[in-house]
Amino acid sequence: MDGISGRPPKPPRRRSQIFFPVDLFLRLSCLEGVVKQVNKGKIMKLSLALLTGALVLSAPLPSFSQDKASNVIFIFDSSGSMKKPIEGGETRSQAAKQAMEAALAKMPAGAKPGLFMYGHRRAKDCTDIEMVSPPGANDAKAVARMISKSQPKGETPIAAALEAVAFYFAPLAGQSNSVVLVTDGIEECGGDPCAAARAIREAGTSLKAHVVGFTLNEKQRKTLQCIADETGGKYFDAQDANGLSDALAEVQKAVAETPPAPPEPVRERVFFDDFEGADLSEHWVVNNPNPDGYIVEKGNLLMVSGEVGGFNTTNGANIIQLERDLPDEDWDIHMTFVGKFKTLRDVIQVGLRTDEKNYLVASVYSTSYNTGSSASDNRGAIMLSLLKVSNGTETVTEKRVFGDNLSLEAAAAFDRKVRLTLTKRGRSYTALYRAEGEVDADGNQITYETDALTSLRSPGKLTLSASKWGKATGEFLVNIESVEIETVKAAP
């Protein structure tokens, strides 16, 4: 973030919230190249963990955590065997298309259908897999039309199809996510569908895979049953057109089932300071202390600054550091404060700091910017930032949390009670902001969260700072009510 680094920040911009961002499509377009790692006609096994990790650690993705709709991708088998006739004279493909059209017409309200196909473009080609329509990109009727136009031609790369589809679900973890595989055959390209399903489960994307086996014998059925078993999905058997329609009707019910709420993680408070007493406790050390800039009284740590300072300064006053190690496991650090953001150059920070060139910090800061409509049309905003500095190199992600087209006067009057949180999950860190009394239309607490940044090593010790990031008239005053550290473990 330019402002906190001591340079004027760029004007805050509202980030678009499209369902599948363009950069995600560009990254996924590389997948076919990955899939084309062929050894004598057999697809080499893809690593779902590496694919998911590459997605998570690359360019930031929008958050879909508040979107409760069901995302359903149908994997439609268009392999050459679908040309075979069934009772009544029609082909397997024709019967499957009719059943799929009827099923899509009765999709549950709010479901977002998608379509993935294999074997539909080329014969004898195990790399012929394609995301035809991502979830929500087209409605159910359009997806049905896409299926009706397909022609069976190719092979049956079930494992590669499952791994590729799971890649698309990585940014949708935590939602109601389903894959429905409709196939008349078993794996033909050297993959391991059971291992692919197991990798989906272990990746933690909450993805269920349902399988509709069409005209399969008992031996074939057993090789595909594991896909549903591994992911918590269901297997349905269909021997004719009516059976296929019945199976897809059951799939609709399975997709519509409300998934159980994930268990809450186990939290344990390992440190808490509510600043009772006449001074900081022995756990804290003040770097470059200025007694006129901080005081402990009435259960608050009061800090005031009229100077530029913060994590990036060498001699910044009153940089307060916790002299104890943080837990090795996942944790949340919460700082609750009320700040008088009067100068529009104010910043309060909590993070991990080694020195001015190596730190990772969650910040709330105030800023002004020009809309560009006229030289005098200046606005104000309160921003949430997560900044990583490694050997002086900066990486930043941020969100506007207060001040959409706000006047300078209104922004300068910001004085809400805020909980600023820095989270660690593995080697991934995020910053969260919650303001007391800030709720949505349903009365639920509104939380703003940055995208994640990765740090392979801990960037230092827990550090607090309150100062100005740029020169401005006036002082920044903040009351810090408490600092808390919680370990966070998965529920047993």
Side-chain angles (χ1 to χ4, degrees):
M1 178 176 54
D2 293 340
I4 292 180
S5 301
R7 301 186 298 276
K10 297 178 182 179
R13 293 179 295 176
R14 181 176 296 279
R15 298 187 180 187
S16 60
Q17 295 295 319
I18 56 177
F19 184 78
F20 260 79
V22 173
D23 66 325
L24 177 58
F25 277 117
L26 292 176
R27 277 177 276 143
L28 293 175
S29 68
C30 299
L31 184 61
E32 185 172 357
V34 176
V35 172
K36 287 183 177 179
Q37 299 178 49
V38 181
N39 182 13
K40 296 182 180 180
K42 294 183 179 182
I43 290 182
M44 298 175 67
K45 181 182 177 183
L46 301 175
S47 170
L48 180 62
L50 288 176
L51 289 173
T52 304
L55 178 63
V56 171
L57 297 178
S58 55
L61 296 173
S63 172
F64 302 99
S65 60
Q66 296 179 359
D67 186 347
K68 301 303 182 183
S70 296
N71 307 297
V72 186
I73 294 181
F74 290 91
I75 302 179
F76 188 75
D77 182 342
S78 196
S79 60
S81 60
M82 292 288 279
K83 298 177 184 178
K84 294 181 178 180
I86 58 175
E87 185 178 347
E90 62 184 350
T91 65
R92 295 177 182 176
S93 179
Q94 290 170 333
K97 289 177 182 180
Q98 293 172 10
M100 284 293 300
E101 182 178 4
L104 284 162
K106 298 178 181 179
M107 285 291 292
K112 295 179 178 179
L115 177 61
F116 195 95
M117 301 184 75
Y118 58 76
H120 58 299
R121 294 175 297 188
R122 299 180 294 273
K124 298 181 180 180
D125 186 349
C126 282
T127 71
D128 184 16
I129 61 177
E130 181 187 14
M131 176 61 79
V132 181
S133 179
N138 292 281
D139 61 20
K141 289 184 178 179
V143 172
R145 287 195 296 270
M146 295 172 189
I147 293 173
S148 68
K149 293 178 181 179
S150 67
Q151 296 298 323
K153 297 178 181 179
E155 304 298 321
T156 309
I158 293 176
L162 287 172
E163 291 171 330
V165 166
F167 186 46
Y168 279 83
F169 278 107
L172 307 179
Q175 296 186 34
S176 177
N177 298 323
S178 302
V179 169
V180 179
L181 170 64
V182 181
T183 181
D184 74 330
I186 59 174
E187 173 68 40
E188 293 181 329
C189 294
D192 186 341
C194 296
R198 193 175 306 116
I200 288 174
R201 172 174 54 81
E202 293 173 350
T205 54
S206 305
L207 176 60
K208 291 184 177 181
H210 308 289
V211 181
V212 179
F214 187 33
T215 68
L216 300 184
N217 59 39
E218 182 65 17
K219 183 178 180 181
Q220 292 171 324
R221 183 190 66 77
K222 289 181 178 180
T223 66
L224 298 181
Q225 175 81 47
C226 62
I227 297 173
D229 293 343
E230 288 284 357
T231 63
K234 297 182 179 181
Y235 179 88
F236 304 94
D237 192 60
Q239 292 302 318
D240 53 30
N242 290 332
L244 182 58
S245 296
D246 293 342
L248 287 171
E250 291 299 316
V251 167
Q252 289 178 357
K253 296 178 183 178
V255 168
E257 290 178 354
T258 302
E264 290 293 325
V266 177
R267 296 178 174 272
E268 180 182 356
R269 177 187 287 179
V270 295
F271 177 80
F272 181 76
D273 194 341
D274 58 1
F275 302 106
E276 293 293 338
D279 202 349
L280 291 169
S281 72
E282 70 278 7
H283 301 296
W284 300 101
V285 171
V286 183
N287 297 317
N288 304 319
N290 175 6
D292 292 332
Y294 78 95
I295 189 173
V296 176
E297 66 176 21
K298 299 179 180 179
N300 287 276
L301 168 60
L302 278 67
M303 303 182 71
V304 62
S305 177
E307 301 298 326
V308 175
F311 277 43
N312 65 304
T313 57
T314 303
N315 298 311
N318 300 330
I319 297 176
I320 301 176
Q321 195 167 71
L322 185 67
E323 286 299 298
R324 58 184 292 177
D325 293 332
L326 291 172
D328 292 330
E329 56 262 58
D330 293 344
W331 45 252
D332 289 347
I333 298 172
H334 308 291
M335 180 170 66
T336 303
F337 68 90
V338 177
K340 306 291 185 180
F341 288 76
K342 294 181 179 180
T343 75
L344 297 181
R345 294 295 184 270
D346 313 302
V347 57
I348 183 165
Q349 302 174 291
V350 59
L352 308 178
R353 183 178 188 268
T354 299
D355 53 40
E356 70 276 8
K357 292 186 177 181
N358 296 276
Y359 56 87
L360 188 146
V361 58
S363 306
V364 176
Y365 75 99
S366 61
T367 186
S368 59
Y369 63 98
N370 186 273
T371 64
S373 60
S374 70
S376 61
D377 192 9
N378 297 312
R379 304 287 172 173
I382 306 296
M383 304 292 294
L384 170 67
S385 166
L386 181 64
L387 172 66
K388 180 179 71 172
V389 178
S390 179
N391 293 322
T393 301
E394 300 177 7
T395 307
V396 65
T397 174
E398 59 183 26
K399 288 187 180 295
R400 187 200 312 246
V401 297
F402 189 76
D404 190 3
N405 201 32
L406 197 69
S407 69
L408 294 177
E409 293 76 16
F414 181 88
D415 62 354
R416 297 187 181 185
K417 187 175 184 177
V418 171
R419 187 171 80 165
L420 174 61
T421 300
L422 177 65
T423 76
K424 172 184 176 290
R425 301 292 185 269
R427 292 184 171 90
S428 181
Y429 297 81
T430 56
L432 293 88
Y433 165 106
R434 296 179 182 178
E436 187 175 86
E438 194 169 316
V439 297
D440 61 20
D442 297 323
N444 299 314
Q445 173 70 56
I446 295 174
T447 299
Y448 296 89
E449 181 176 357
T450 66
D451 297 314
L453 295 181
T454 301
S455 181
L456 299 181
R457 296 178 178 86
S458 176
K461 292 188 175 182
L462 172 60
T463 304
L464 317 177
S465 174
S467 60
K468 293 196 294 186
W469 58 261
K471 292 183 178 179
T473 302
E475 295 180 323
F476 175 43
L477 174 65
V478 61
N479 294 2
I480 301 176
E481 295 187 0
S482 65
V483 174
E484 178 183 12
I485 304 173
E486 293 180 308
T487 57
V488 181
K489 300 178 182 178

